């Protein structure tokens, strides 16, 4: 029986390995992590991450051919194939701080593999890493190799949170990069054989190592660029009276462009887009390509601009101050169907409003109060460095309240701010919400989920990203 071990039981390691275990009953899969609470949760009825369909997959294989453990060394020692799916955050200090990938976690995993291995192994980069990382990993492994043969493969993960199980069951493609040597080809084939249990052969792409590593950064940069492009258009739509949904539809029907990923919003979030683009920018700079670096940097600048623009619009519409006004925040996760708040635009929007002394009442169906308080107390980039967690500031705690119901959040509020596109927000009784709010009552829809016209009929003043402004908002132009 082939044995797989995956180091890192996070958003990628957990679901990916659960699906491999489900689809390959002849393979034993162990997912290991240094975090005791995370592994305890994976072994309990309440999994550490929320992902539609994940519970069922885990329940079917856990204890049969899928195991979660903190005994990292034992499982690495026994494995034929070791996936490394640890976090690769942005460096917060030292050379490349604020841009480069921090490979501390990766390096320590590689050193541990070198220490405990007694048999040949295929080591698979599952984490998103800078191009040429495999070379560094190879050096760590072979310098300590004791005659062991290691083959390094790059197998970046393209799943999207919220649809991870669907994406893993039916991937657009699986990408495997390896050394172009007989041993490298053999290792690529071994990993292909795993995916071939359920992925059609023509969707398993093989490339050299550097192409596979770079493709992941490139794919995320292209995706984020689409969002920044439509968001840039949304600002122009508001200024000219065009409607961004109509523009996006007209643009997206061109088959060369396509309709997906063209929704204007308050901005993109999630653990990957910003970090991977910053990493790409850093790699360009290190390779003497400042113009290319500058080009990709704009994607992040527009994203920051969009979040600021949203806050400025909100404050300026409400007589230029939100001091001591209750603002209801509906949605805190970076997108629907996940409880993940890493780099969520809600953090910047809430911090912006708190900076103007607002009182926030936050409701998200999947995010706990503790998580929200922690997110709002942390410095940029610290979220992925657990050791640098800071104590919560007493002012934040006082000004932010989270509740478990949208109606409670909006009671007596001056404004409602929609920051995540949860389906349930479309079905809210806005008449009931309006009746219980302060007047004038505002809705700032950062995801274009509500029917603005219906809300205006109720009496709300409504701002929808990239849509024609109503008279009130026109009279109070936001300064970006
Ligand atoms: P995560 O933070 O949820 O999980 C990483 C896990 O690795 C943590 O539980 C941590 O305790 C563990 N870990 C760190 N060092 C370790 C060590 N030395 N030994 C054992 N465990 C260790 O991160 P996530 O979201 O799963 O991301 C992992 C990688 O996958 C990152 O490089 C990310 O960029 C990439 N990725 C993430 C996607 C996502 O949607 N979250 C999608 C595609 C790629």
């Amino acid at each position: 029986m082939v044995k797989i071990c995956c180091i890192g039981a996070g958003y990628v390691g957990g679901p990916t390995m659960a699906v491999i275990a489900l689809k390959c009953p002849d393979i034993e899969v162990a997912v290991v992590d240094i975090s005791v609470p995370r592994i305890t949760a994976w072994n309990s009825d309440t999994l550490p991450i929320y992902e539609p369909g994940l519970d069922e997959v885990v329940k079917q294989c856990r204890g049969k051919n899928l195991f979660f453990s903190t005994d990292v060394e034992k499982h690495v020692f026994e494995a034929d194939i070791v996936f490394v799916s640890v976090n690769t955050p942005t460096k917060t200090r030292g050379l490349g701080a604020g841009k480069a990938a921090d490979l501390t976690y990766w390096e320590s995993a590689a050193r541990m593999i070198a220490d405990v291995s007694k048999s040949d192994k295929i080591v698979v980069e599952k984490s998103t890493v800078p191009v040429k990382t495999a070379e560094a990993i190879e050096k760590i492994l072979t310098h300590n190799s004791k005659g062991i043969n290691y083959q390094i493969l790059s197998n970046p993960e393209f799943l999207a949170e919220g649809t991870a199980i669907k994406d893993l069951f039916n991937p657009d493609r699986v990408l495997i990069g390896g050394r172009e040597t007989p041993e490298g080809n053999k290792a690529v084939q071994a990993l292909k054989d795993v995916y071939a249990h359920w992925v059609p052969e023509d969707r398993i792409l093989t490339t050299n190592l550097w192409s596979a590593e770079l493709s992941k950064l490139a794919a995320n940069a292209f995706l984020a660029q689409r969002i920044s492009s439509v968001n840039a258009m949304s600002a122009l739509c508001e200024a000219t009276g065009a409607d961004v949904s109509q523009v996006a539809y007209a643009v997206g029907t061109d088959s060369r462009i396509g309709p997906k990923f063209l929704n204007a919003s308050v901005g993109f979030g999630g653990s990957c887009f910003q970090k991977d683009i910053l990493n790409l920018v850093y790699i360009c700079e290190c390779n003497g390509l400042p113009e290319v670096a500058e080009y990709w940097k704009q994607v992040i600048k527009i994203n920051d601009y969009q979040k600021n623009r949203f806050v400025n619009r909100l404050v300026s519409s409400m007589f230029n101050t939100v001091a001591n006004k209750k603002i209801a925040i509906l949605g805190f996760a970076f997108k629907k169907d996940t409880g993940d708040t890493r780099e969520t635009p809600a953090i910047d929007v809430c911090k912006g409003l708190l900076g103007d002394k607002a009182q926030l009442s936050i409701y998200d169906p999947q995010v706990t109060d503790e998580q929200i308080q922690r997110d709002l107390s942390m410095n940029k980039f610290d979220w992925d460095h657990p050791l640098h967690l800071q104590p919560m500031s007493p002012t934040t705690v006082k000004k932010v309240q989270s509740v478990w119901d949208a109606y409670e959040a909006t009671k007596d509020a001056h404004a409602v701010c929609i920051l995540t596109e949860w389906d349930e927000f479309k079905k809210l009784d806005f008449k009931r919400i309006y009746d219980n709010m302060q007047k004038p009552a505002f809705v700032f829809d950062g995801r274009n989920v509500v029917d603005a016209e219906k809300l205006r009929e109720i009496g709300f003043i409504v701002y929808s990203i990239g849509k024609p402004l109503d008279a009130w908002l026109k009279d109070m132009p936001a300064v970006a």
Side-chain angles (χ1 to χ4, degrees):
M1 197 180 204
V2 174
K3 285 195 177 182
I4 288 180
C5 171
C6 175
I7 306 176
Y11 286 87
V12 169
T16 320
M17 292 302 127
V19 168
I20 290 183
L22 183 78
K23 299 289 185 182
C24 312
D26 55 328
I27 295 178
E28 188 180 295
V29 183
V31 192
V32 297
D33 205 294
I34 42 177
S35 162
V36 176
R38 231 178 192 176
I39 291 298
T40 308
W42 278 112
N43 281 320
S44 76
D45 284 338
T46 314
L47 301 184
I49 61 177
Y50 171 70
E51 194 63 63
L54 177 64
D55 270 34
E56 291 74 28
V57 175
V58 170
K59 269 186 203 136
Q60 281 183 63
C61 340
R62 197 172 53 193
K64 290 184 194 141
N65 67 332
L66 175 66
F67 303 92
F68 295 94
S69 168
T70 48
D71 198 343
V72 181
E73 300 189 354
K74 169 180 174 280
H75 289 285
V76 169
F77 169 80
E78 288 177 357
D80 307 292
I81 304 176
V82 181
F83 285 80
V84 184
S85 185
V86 299
N87 32 332
T88 50
T90 306
K91 273 185 90 170
T92 50
R93 54 203 76 191
L95 187 66
K99 276 186 277 194
D102 182 343
L103 293 177
T104 316
Y105 304 95
W106 233 107
E107 188 177 331
S108 92
R111 286 182 188 280
M112 186 271 301
I113 297 171
D115 282 348
V116 306
S117 295
K118 296 249 169 3
S119 56
D120 293 352
K121 295 206 189 303
I122 296 173
V123 177
V124 185
E125 290 175 347
K126 201 41 147 170
S127 305
T128 305
V129 291
V131 60
K132 290 278 179 185
T133 298
E135 201 166 68
I137 303 304
E138 235 167 30
K139 283 192 181 124
I140 293 172
L141 293 172
T142 47
H143 276 272
N144 298 283
S145 83
K146 306 164 272 183
I148 293 167
N149 177 25
Y150 293 103
Q151 281 302 319
I152 321 290
L153 300 179
S154 164
N155 173 220
E157 185 48 61
F158 293 102
L159 67 78
E161 284 176 34
T163 53
I165 297 301
K166 200 169 131 260
D167 298 342
L168 289 164
F169 278 4
N170 190 20
D172 287 343
R173 78 309 208 182
V174 166
L175 180 59
I176 304 174
R179 285 274 184 205
E180 290 157 310
T181 59
E183 299 79 21
N185 292 338
K186 217 173 129 203
V188 169
Q189 189 56 49
L191 189 55
K192 256 181 116 171
D193 290 345
V194 172
Y195 285 106
H197 280 75
W198 79 99
V199 180
E201 189 148 358
D202 61 350
R203 287 206 218 151
I204 306 178
L205 316 181
T206 55
T207 63
N208 74 28
L209 269 171
W210 323 129
S211 303
E213 287 179 335
L214 188 54
S215 298
K216 174 65 193 176
L217 295 181
N220 272 355
F222 275 53
L223 287 169
Q225 182 208 43
R226 257 175 104 88
I227 299 178
S228 280
S229 296
V230 76
N231 282 347
M233 283 299 157
S234 74
L236 190 55
C237 285
E238 287 167 31
T240 56
D243 179 327
V244 74
S245 302
Q246 294 174 351
V247 173
Y249 181 75
V251 169
T253 44
D254 184 324
S255 60
R256 292 168 302 177
I257 297 170
K260 291 185 184 163
F261 240 65
L262 282 180
N263 287 333
S265 69
V266 60
F268 60 75
S271 66
C272 295
F273 283 176
Q274 172 160 302
K275 145 178 107 70
D276 292 350
I277 294 178
L278 288 171
N279 186 355
L280 188 67
V281 165
Y282 184 68
I283 295 169
C284 292
E285 286 170 352
C286 292
N287 282 283
L289 300 168
E291 289 81 3
V292 185
E294 207 47 48
Y295 174 74
W296 288 112
K297 234 186 250 174
Q298 288 302 321
V299 173
I300 292 179
K301 282 195 187 160
I302 287 289
N303 199 45
D304 288 338
Y305 163 78
Q306 188 76 342
K307 291 181 276 190
N308 283 335
R309 207 167 73 75
F310 187 84
V311 173
N312 292 348
R313 172 73 73 191
L314 188 152
V315 177
S316 65
S317 311
M318 296 176 71
F319 315 102
N320 247 348
T321 177
V322 286
N324 299 320
K325 290 178 185 165
K326 178 176 170 181
I327 313 286
I329 305 289
L330 298 188
F332 198 81
F334 85 92
K335 65 172 176 175
K336 73 171 181 177
D337 292 337
T338 177
D340 194 353
T341 60
R342 295 177 292 178
E343 291 290 348
T344 174
I347 293 178
D348 292 296
V349 171
C350 289
K351 282 187 172 174
L353 296 175
L354 287 170
D356 230 286
K357 298 198 168 61
Q359 297 272 357
L360 305 182
S361 183
I362 306 179
Y363 166 66
D364 186 292
Q366 285 296 333
V367 185
T368 61
D369 178 48
E370 195 195 351
Q371 184 65 45
I372 290 170
Q373 301 285 359
R374 198 181 309 135
D375 286 338
L376 294 178
S377 317
M378 247 186 282
N379 286 332
K380 210 169 168 55
F381 301 127
D382 274 353
W383 52 267
D384 214 0
H385 298 261
L387 296 178
H388 308 148
L389 282 188
Q390 293 159 7
M392 284 175 224
S393 101
T395 2
T396 311
V397 176
K398 232 174 75 202
K399 292 262 182 196
V400 179
Q401 182 206 11
S402 33
V403 293
W404 281 100
D405 175 60
Y407 297 103
E408 184 61 32
T410 52
K411 195 162 171 271
D412 294 324
H414 293 256
V416 178
C417 215
I418 302 173
L419 299 182
T420 313
E421 71 282 20
W422 286 104
D423 289 337
E424 66 178 66
F425 297 158
K426 292 182 191 156
K427 297 177 208 138
L428 289 171
D429 178 351
F430 276 97
K431 176 76 177 75
R432 177 176 159 199
I433 289 176
Y434 180 80
D435 289 343
N436 288 323
M437 282 176 68
Q438 306 277 345
K439 309 294 176 322
F442 296 83
V443 170
F444 297 90
D445 185 358
R447 299 284 181 167
N448 288 348
V449 293
V450 297
D451 182 335
E453 279 319 309
K454 274 199 186 139
L455 263 57
R456 285 188 185 117
E457 278 165 25
I458 294 172
F460 282 107
I461 296 159
V462 186
Y463 166 69
S464 307
I465 300 248
K467 306 276 184 162
L469 301 174
D470 51 23
W472 182 289
L473 299 167
K474 267 190 205 150
D475 286 348
M476 301 207 176
V479 185

